[in-house]
Amino acid sequence: ASLSPSPSPAGPDHSPSPSPSPGPCQSDFSAHPECQGALNYMFANWQNPHYAPFNLEPTRCSLQGYLHVHENDKCPACPCAAQPSSCETDFSAYPDCQWALDYMFANWQHPDYEYYKLKGTRCSLQGYLNAVE
């Protein structure tokens, strides 16, 4: 199942939508004609619960990386999207989290998780566990 951006209501959103900024990501989209429109859509809709498992942030890098990886190369790769994880690692308030992460690291490629397009990274799996499980 593809997770193409589609206009679906996410309910009232009282937070302002950030504006796309050039940042360090590639902005020549001649080889990706749908990219700018998809980025504009994602900036307006990144908080939609449909995207929760992907831990998106309202940054060009985050959204362009999502469109490259999860939307069939709709945008070019963004070098800033490959930065090291800064996910929280103190799970003292969540006693089952480390066990669940260990399980997900061993099983994230199982067909049951295909819909979520997990990447096998700590942040991807932790985001999935936070949003879905």
Side-chain angles (χ1 to χ4, degrees):
S2 174
L3 296 178
S4 298
S6 58
S8 61
D13 180 10
H14 301 289
S15 61
S17 294
S19 300
S21 61
C25 291
Q26 180 177 343
S27 58
D28 175 13
F29 301 140
S30 57
H32 299 84
E34 296 178 354
C35 185
Q36 189 60 57
L39 276 172
N40 292 343
Y41 175 87
M42 291 301 295
F43 269 102
N45 295 285
W46 69 275
Q47 290 179 310
N48 185 307
H50 176 81
Y51 301 111
F54 302 100
N55 276 345
L56 297 176
E57 296 176 357
T59 64
R60 169 120 178 213
C61 185
S62 174
L63 302 179
Q64 186 171 329
Y66 168 84
L67 291 167
H68 175 71
V69 173
H70 299 287
E71 294 290 334
N72 200 22
D73 196 31
K74 194 170 278 187
C75 284
C78 182
C80 55
Q83 296 191 6
S85 163
S86 60
C87 287
E88 181 180 331
T89 57
D90 176 15
F91 300 125
S92 56
Y94 306 94
D96 295 330
C97 191
Q98 188 59 55
W99 178 90
L101 272 173
D102 291 342
Y103 174 86
M104 290 303 299
F105 274 118
N107 296 287
W108 69 275
Q109 291 180 311
H110 189 277
D112 288 347
Y113 301 112
E114 186 175 325
Y115 169 81
Y116 298 101
K117 308 277 187 190
L118 299 173
K119 298 180 217 168
T121 64
R122 180 177 203 88
C123 277
S124 172
L125 301 179
Q126 189 172 328
Y128 166 81
L129 290 168
N130 181 54
V132 180
E133 293 291 323

